[in-house]
Structure formats: structure tokens, C-alpha cells
Amino acid sequence: MGGPVRNFCPGCGQPATARRIDWTCLAEQVRHGVLNLERGLGYSLRNLLLRPGRLMRDYIEGRRARQARPLPLLLLGAAAVVLVGRVAAGGDVIGSAVLAGVEMSGNPDPDAVLAAQDSARAVQAWANRHFAAITLLLLPVEALALRVAFHRVGGLNYPEWLVISTFLTVQAFMFWIAGLLLQRWIPGATGWAMSCAIVFQLLSLAQFAGYPWWKSVLRGALGLCLYTVVQSAITLAAFAVAALVR
């Protein structure tokens, strides 16, 4: 006679059959505790640096017992960026790249430059105050951009791309924190850190996709470019609103 049917793995507690990620699955994760990371925080953070593609693939395919849930992980990462930004950068999490772009615009009208700088400071201050909310609002945009870029690759649905984008964002947060900590001694460290984060995201997508690596990198670059275009449009809209309010 065969042994008893097990609903869970006796070694790790992983359910024997894991459901596919969909909207209902995501809603249940939120309902069961957004702020409850349970176990797996160190495992997830470590593997987002060492083998991110494998980590994301395991989560998508149902091997989730040792991993932290993506949404609480994202919120914790955003909180860590804000905290480090306040301690190491005087609260300037976003950085002064937008303001520097205004100063280097070459506009000969000093009044127009001053007005643009005021708008940039207002947008920068608002973004620093609402960093976590902005992260959550932009996440669906990044997920949609990646889904469009990887159309017909892997057969993933939109909620699954939301999970992948969440992991990639947490990964970028780790680089961001490193840049903020080094900014005091290395000028431009945050910018360099985020450039490294983008390269790492592309490599992570190539590792995850199980697709020729160069095609994965190109598709990932397309997705991140689409996301950047939308993000830039939102930033310009924020400039326009700030200018009207002022």
C-alpha cells in the first residue's frame, strides 16, 4: 500500500501544489498581512543579489516556502530607502538630478530658469515626502512595460509580471541604499548605483527568462525604456502642475 498523501513538503512546509499567481492570489497575500514578512527576508534579499533570476522563477513556479512575500518586501525596502535618505542625505531620497537638469538646460531667460528651479524643488520635495506611494503607483506601469516587451515569452500573465517587477524594484532599492550611503564620500554615487541597478535588472531578466540571453537583454532594455518614457511624462506633468500651483 502506498504511503499517506501529503499536502505539504515534510522538509520545508511548501504546499505540495502551489497555485498560479493571479489577481485572487495577490489579494489573498495582501489580506493575510501586508506587514507580515514571516520568514525568508534574508533568503530573498541575498538571492536577489546572488541569483535573482532563479529566485523569481522559483516564486512564479510555486516554490515560495523559503521566500518573503514580494509586497511586504517592497514596502520594507521603500521604508529603508527613506530612512537611509534621511540619515545620510538629509531627507533627499530622490536626489538633485532633476534640479541639475534644469540648471543645465541652457535657457537664456534667468526668470524662466528661476521659475523652473522653483517647480523642480517643489516636485523634488513632494517626491521625497511620498516616495513609498510613488513606488507603488509606478509599479503597475513597469510591470505593463515588461509584459509588452516580453510578449509571448514564457506565457506569463500581468499579475506575475507585477511580482517580477516588485522583486526588481526591491533589488534596485538595495543599490539605491548603497549609493545614498556612499554619496557623502563619492560624488554622484547614487547615480552610479542606479546605473548598476539597471544593468543588474537586465541580467536578472536574462537569467529569469530561460531565453537566449542577448534577446532577453534587448527585450528587458525595451521594457525599461518604455517605463522610463512613461515615468518622464509623469514627471513633466508634475512640473506643469507645480508651475500652475505656484
Side-chain angles (χ1 to χ4, degrees), residues 205-222:
L205 287 168
Q207 189 181 79
F208 167 81
Y211 197 58
W213 70 269
W214 62 272
K215 290 184 178 180
S216 297
V217 169
L218 288 177
R219 286 178 178 267
L222 174 61

Side-chain angles (χ1 to χ4, degrees), residues 118-243:
D118 288 341
S119 297
R121 290 190 184 95
V123 171
Q124 181 181 352
W126 186 87
N128 282 323
R129 289 195 304 270
H130 302 89
F131 179 78
I134 293 172
T135 298
L136 288 174
L137 290 173
L138 288 177
L139 190 66
V141 178
E142 181 179 3
L144 181 60
L146 289 175
R147 191 186 185 194
V148 170
F150 283 88
H151 181 57
R152 296 182 179 177
V153 177
L156 301 179
N157 60 31
Y158 182 63
E160 288 169 330
W161 277 112
L162 273 174
V163 169
I164 294 168
S165 298
T166 300
F167 278 126
L168 292 176
T169 301
V170 174
Q171 184 187 77
F173 283 166
M174 289 190 279
F175 283 91
W176 203 330
I177 289 171
L180 288 170
L181 291 173
L182 294 173
Q183 186 74 27
R184 181 175 299 179
W185 300 282
I186 304 175
T190 305
W192 284 106
M194 294 314 297
S195 297
C196 292
I198 292 172
V199 173
F200 216 78
Q201 286 179 332
L202 293 176
L203 295 177
S204 301
L205 287 168
Q207 189 181 79
F208 167 81
Y211 197 58
W213 70 269
W214 62 272
K215 290 184 178 180
S216 297
V217 169
L218 288 177
R219 286 178 178 267
L222 174 61
L224 293 180
C225 285
L226 291 173
Y227 170 62
T228 301
V229 168
V230 177
Q231 189 181 42
S232 299
I234 294 173
T235 302
L236 289 175
F239 265 107
V241 171

Side-chain angles (χ1 to χ4, degrees), residues 10-170:
C12 65
Q14 166 75 40
T17 56
R19 61 185 296 182
R20 184 175 181 180
I21 295 171
D22 55 19
W23 291 113
T24 304
C25 179
L26 290 181
E28 287 180 357
Q29 289 193 14
V30 174
R31 187 171 64 251
H32 289 157
V34 170
L35 298 179
N36 183 14
L37 279 175
E38 299 177 346
R39 57 184 176 178
L41 176 61
Y43 177 88
S44 295
L45 294 178
R46 181 173 66 253
N47 283 282
L48 275 175
L49 294 177
L50 298 178
R51 50 174 194 168
R54 175 69 180 274
L55 181 84
M56 294 186 294
R57 175 60 63 186
D58 283 349
Y59 199 92
I60 294 299
E61 293 180 351
R63 296 181 290 275
R64 304 165 193 158
R66 292 188 293 175
Q67 297 194 35
R69 293 177 179 176
L71 183 57
L73 193 63
L74 176 74
L75 295 177
L76 179 65
V81 172
V82 172
L83 177 62
V84 173
R86 288 179 179 175
V87 173
D92 187 12
V93 177
I94 301 300
S96 51
V98 174
L99 185 60
V102 171
E103 293 171 349
M104 297 175 62
S105 63
N107 193 325
D109 186 351
D111 292 334
V113 172
L114 288 175
Q117 288 177 344
D118 288 341
S119 297
R121 290 190 184 95
V123 171
Q124 181 181 352
W126 186 87
N128 282 323
R129 289 195 304 270
H130 302 89
F131 179 78
I134 293 172
T135 298
L136 288 174
L137 290 173
L138 288 177
L139 190 66
V141 178
E142 181 179 3
L144 181 60
L146 289 175
R147 191 186 185 194
V148 170
F150 283 88
H151 181 57
R152 296 182 179 177
V153 177
L156 301 179
N157 60 31
Y158 182 63
E160 288 169 330
W161 277 112
L162 273 174
V163 169
I164 294 168
S165 298
T166 300
F167 278 126
L168 292 176
T169 301
V170 174

